[in-house]
DNA sequence: GTCAAAATAGACACTATTGTCTAAAACGTC
DNA sequence: GACGTTTTAGACAATAGTGTCTATTTTGAC
């Protein structure tokens, strides 16, 4: 769902607030319905009801169903990419405790990008409609996971040159880091549920521990083998 | 797809012998179309054309669209589970080289269960229709990934007690193993493409290397740090 | 209050799809 | 070749959805 602050979603200089809020209502409702029903299963009437707007209003703003769909996808992608970009900057330059820093970073990433409503929407829609709209999701491929990947790879490169990590392929390590974080989460998100904060933290903790066991230098000891939180997924 | 023989049947059109082959043609075609279009987007007529069968024949075998859909899902699940079960038994009791054994095992798993056409079908359908048919996919959840998970966990427990691996949580390690194997593959499968054999082997190799770096005992050295195959995903 | 832009409800034509029905044809088995 | 089963093509009603149109009302700016 959208942040109320982003009501500053600018359009033409002369647009009134009412007009703008209709647009946002439509986009939000359409995202909800498209995500729940898929493109073919979603009906304009259902979106209109969900947005508390007449069907004709939707057609005033978007020429046809497909136009609305692409607008929704682009909107969600922009929001997710912005959120992603701001989160990527949050990793501390001089890490205190690497394990804690990586865990907190992973939690922020999953909570605000990968596993929130927008993230679910994108994953689901890319999966179900990706083949039909390759050019549309090309941007997601490049600027979504691609950007996370390269940014993470850069981070790991920095940590490797700093002597804290030890690896041969930074891109691979980035993919594996994300995969490990998702390991405990995918069964939850696959069914459209949102993981709780405890689940996010447990998943991040488990992932980072294994990641560091594989990639930290011998001089960088892990936290002692305390009893791990067992992530009860089912 | 079930088996090349039926594909040949389909191509020949009206000259099919058994009535059983009609059933199979329908199931295969329906799987194909449901996977491509989703439940709502798939039309019975399209399935009929794809199966080289009249629409009425489909209704003779399956009362309605939903009946056909559940039959398809169950069929694919049964086939995948059978394949899974047979693959799980292929891990050698007395491993020669653990890294090679795990890699080969991961390749078999991805090739025949996780990334083949049936695997793609299930992943996609669970994602898009899972919320609408929770009871239907409950079986998949339990007998699909659940069974892989527990079987892998049992394997890792055995290897741990044998002193080759070292870990605290076998279930977690199993989830992470699968996640690592998917790390290089998910971007390919997400867009409905099938990974090549080279990609499967590279992904398995990368995953197993990292997995063993994290979980093998110090006494079990990895293969020397040879230049890694770089999995070019994009 | 006035006025123009925007939103609304409702009707509408058009298309697509589901599921049923029927008579004819093909098939398998004897 | 006869017979019962299966398949087929085609017509069919019923339903649902898309996109358009119009007349009316609401809204916001001035």
């Amino acid at each position: 769902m959208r942040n109320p602050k982003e009501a500053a979603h600018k359009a033409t200089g002369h647009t009134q607030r009412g007009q703008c809020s209709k647009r946002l209502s439509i986009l939000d409702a359409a995202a909800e319905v498209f995500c729940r029903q898929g493109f073919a299963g979603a009906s304009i009437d259902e979106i209109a009801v969900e947005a508390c707007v007449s069907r004709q209003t939707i057609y005033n703003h978007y020429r046809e169903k497909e136009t609305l769909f692409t607008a929704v996808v682009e909107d969600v992608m922009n929001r997710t990419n912005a959120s992603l970009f701001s989160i990527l900057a949050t990793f501390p330059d001089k890490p205190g405790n690497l394990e804690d820093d990586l865990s907190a970073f992973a939690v922020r990433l999953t909570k605000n990008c990968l596993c929130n409503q927008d993230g679910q929407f994108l994953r689901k829609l890319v999966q179900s409609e990706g083949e039909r709209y390759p050019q549309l999701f090309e941007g997601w491929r490049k600027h979504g996971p691609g950007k996370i990947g390269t940014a993470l790879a850069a981070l790991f490169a920095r940590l490797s040159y700093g002597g804290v990590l030890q690896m041969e392929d930074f891109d691979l390590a980035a993919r594996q880091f994300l995969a490990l974080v998702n390991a405990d989460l995918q069964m939850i998100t696959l069914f459209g549920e949102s993981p709780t904060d405890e689940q996010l933290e447990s998943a991040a903790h488990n992932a980072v521990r294994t990641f560091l066991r594989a990639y930290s230098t011998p001089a960088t000891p892990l936290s002692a083998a305390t009893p791990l939180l067992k992530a009860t997924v089912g």
Side-chain angles (χ1 to χ4, degrees), chain A residues 5 20 88 159:
Chain A
K5 247 186 171 177
C20 187
L88 286 176
L159 295 171

Side-chain angles (χ1 to χ4, degrees), chain A residues 4-5 110 142 180:
Chain A
K5 247 186 171 177
T110 50
K142 230 176 227 156
L180 285 172

Side-chain angles (χ1 to χ4, degrees), chain A residues 49-65:
Chain A
V49 169
E50 181 106 358
C52 294
V53 142
S54 78
R55 178 174 65 246
Q56 187 54 43
T57 301
I58 294 183
Y59 282 109
N60 287 344
H61 285 277
Y62 304 97
R63 191 159 22 87
E64 53 188 357
K65 192 182 180 183

Side-chain angles (χ1 to χ4, degrees), chain A residues 28-51:
Chain A
D28 278 342
E32 180 98 6
V33 175
F34 278 136
C35 185
R36 201 170 53 229
Q37 317 266 56
F39 177 78
S43 88
I44 299 285
D45 292 281
E46 195 175 350
I47 294 171
V49 169
E50 181 106 358

Side-chain angles (χ1 to χ4, degrees), chain A residues 203-217:
Chain A
H205 177 261
N206 288 338
V208 169
R209 253 192 84 75
T210 297
F211 184 80
L212 290 183
R213 278 173 82 149
Y215 284 128
S216 69
T217 53

